[in-house]
Amino acid sequence: MTTTPTTIVRFSRRARVEHVAVMSLFAVLALTGFPQKFFPAPWAQVMVDAMGGIDRARWLHRAAGLLFAALLAVHLGGAAWPTLKRRACLSLVPEGKDFRDAAAMLRYQLGTEASPPVFDRFDYRQKFEYWGLVLGGAVMVATGFLLLFPLLATTFVSGQLVPAAKVAHSNEGLMAFLVVVTWHVFHAHLSPEAFPGDTSIFTGRVARDRVRHEHALEYARLLEGRDPEPVPEAAWLALVLAPLRGALLVMYLPGLGFVVVGRHLARRAAAALSKLRRRRPAEPAEEAEPGEPPASAA
């Protein structure tokens, strides 16, 4: 991949094509899935009628789901094979540094840390989004196939999993939609660093100054001409541990936010209460009755 004096190639053609495919399929799945989830609502019935009826909506949803399952399989295979051949590194797999960076960034944003952490090619927020998509997509694919072939599935698993899969499929889809329209849209379009929009996933290129600012470790490595560090363990073990590390990061960030922000608010409240107590005027001493000796004379 080539670079220019002002830009750096960040995403390959394959990554850009996969992103466009995910965007398109996600939109179709949302537009055809939510009217089924909220069918009693008037707006849902209007959307179903616009698609040609509930049968057409279900057909479109299932077709998009099968394409998404194929895309997920192609993506995971394309990531695993070069890793097994030692031709690629797992740059999106969370490491210990990502967990420390998340806590350090929260402290920096709350004003208790002097400077933000420095990041490599992908920071902990990007890895959170990626593994949320991969693991959430795996749940959607598994539950989707269970709902698509319930009779076949119940010859191997308990029939109780069918209604459970329906609840999981529906709620996971809603959660994925909310994460995309809040977390992803903000970081990709509304944050000060990206506003009015980050187009690098479509062009494949990003400004050199932005890489130096947002991914200082990667920028330093590019200047020195060094390759990314290989995974320390065996390739097959790294692939097995990758989803476990991803799941840990996905579960870690929300809990970390509650803990760090909660402790910060508790310290601020305690400091404000202490300041209020210091500012409170001292109560006047009781005056002695006439003819009565002062207390100090006792």
Side-chain angles (χ1 to χ4, degrees), residues 32 46 50 53 59 64 76 81 101 111 147 178 187 189 198 213 229 240 254 256 262 280:
T32 57
V46 170
W59 185 90
L76 294 178
W81 183 252
D101 286 348
L147 295 173
L178 294 176
H187 284 288
H189 300 285
D198 184 356
H213 172 65
E229 295 291 333
V240 171
L256 175 71
R280 184 178 300 172

Side-chain angles (χ1 to χ4, degrees), residues 100-173:
R100 296 189 296 269
D101 286 348
M105 178 60 82
L106 266 178
R107 292 194 298 267
Y108 171 73
Q109 292 171 337
L110 293 172
T112 59
E113 193 88 5
S115 59
V118 292
F119 303 117
D120 207 326
R121 177 170 175 77
F122 297 106
D123 60 41
Y124 70 93
R125 295 163 295 194
Q126 294 163 328
K127 294 180 181 182
F128 173 85
E129 285 192 62
Y130 173 80
W131 284 103
L133 172 63
V134 170
L135 297 175
V139 171
M140 296 297 287
V141 169
T143 55
F145 274 114
L146 189 61
L147 295 173
L148 186 59
F149 304 106
L151 295 179
L152 177 62
T154 51
T155 60
F156 302 99
V157 297
S158 171
Q160 296 176 346
L161 288 180
V162 175
K166 182 178 180 180
V167 174
H169 191 85
S170 176
N171 291 340
E172 173 62 26

Side-chain angles (χ1 to χ4, degrees), residues 251-272:
M251 294 185 293
Y252 171 78
L253 286 190
L256 175 71
F258 283 113
V259 171
V260 173
V261 174
R263 290 180 58 187
H264 178 77
L265 293 177
R267 285 196 296 266
R268 293 292 296 271

Side-chain angles (χ1 to χ4, degrees), residues 2-295:
T2 60
T3 62
T4 69
T6 58
T7 63
I8 293 176
V9 174
R10 182 161 178 80
F11 297 107
S12 65
R13 180 178 300 176
R14 174 178 175 173
R16 286 177 278 159
V17 171
E18 286 183 350
H19 182 264
V20 172
V22 168
M23 286 178 55
S24 304
L25 292 173
F26 186 87
V28 173
L29 290 167
L31 291 173
T32 57
F34 288 142
Q36 298 181 61
K37 177 178 175 64
F38 302 105
F39 185 74
W43 62 265
Q45 297 178 20
V46 170
M47 291 184 64
V48 169
D49 291 340
M51 285 183 278
I54 190 64
D55 290 333
R56 178 68 60 81
R58 288 173 176 170
W59 185 90
L60 291 172
H61 190 77
R62 292 167 180 171
L66 291 172
L67 290 175
F68 181 82
L71 178 63
L72 180 63
V74 169
H75 172 75
L76 294 178
W81 183 252
T83 302
L84 291 173
K85 293 295 183 179
R86 289 289 181 176
R87 294 199 300 263
C89 64
L90 299 174
S91 56
L92 276 166
V93 175
E95 302 173 347
K97 182 180 183 304
D98 297 300
F99 295 86
R100 296 189 296 269
D101 286 348
M105 178 60 82
L106 266 178
R107 292 194 298 267
Y108 171 73
Q109 292 171 337
L110 293 172
T112 59
E113 193 88 5
S115 59
V118 292
F119 303 117
D120 207 326
R121 177 170 175 77
F122 297 106
D123 60 41
Y124 70 93
R125 295 163 295 194
Q126 294 163 328
K127 294 180 181 182
F128 173 85
E129 285 192 62
Y130 173 80
W131 284 103
L133 172 63
V134 170
L135 297 175
V139 171
M140 296 297 287
V141 169
T143 55
F145 274 114
L146 189 61
L147 295 173
L148 186 59
F149 304 106
L151 295 179
L152 177 62
T154 51
T155 60
F156 302 99
V157 297
S158 171
Q160 296 176 346
L161 288 180
V162 175
K166 182 178 180 180
V167 174
H169 191 85
S170 176
N171 291 340
E172 173 62 26
L174 178 60
M175 184 177 67
F177 176 79
L178 294 176
V179 169
V180 167
V181 299
T182 53
W183 178 290
H184 182 71
V185 168
F186 172 79
H187 284 288
H189 300 285
L190 302 179
S191 67
E193 295 85 359
F195 187 83
D198 184 356
T199 60
S200 61
I201 193 60
F202 302 105
T203 64
R205 294 181 176 275
V206 64
R208 184 180 292 269
D209 290 339
R210 185 176 175 188
V211 175
R212 180 169 58 239
H213 172 65
E214 298 181 7
H215 304 277
L217 297 180
E218 180 190 20
Y219 185 78
R221 188 175 63 249
L222 290 174
L223 288 181
E224 298 173 6
R226 292 185 290 108
D227 294 327
E229 295 291 333
V231 291
E233 58 268 352
W236 66 269
L237 180 59
L239 290 174
V240 171
L241 295 177
L244 299 178
R245 293 173 176 173
L248 283 176
L249 182 66
V250 170
M251 294 185 293
Y252 171 78
L253 286 190
L256 175 71
F258 283 113
V259 171
V260 173
V261 174
R263 290 180 58 187
H264 178 77
L265 293 177
R267 285 196 296 266
R268 293 292 296 271
L273 184 60
S274 177
K275 185 182 293 185
L276 182 63
R277 288 174 176 172
R278 288 197 300 269
R279 288 183 177 179
R280 184 178 300 172
E283 296 181 0
E286 296 182 1
E287 296 184 1
E289 294 290 336
E292 211 177 273

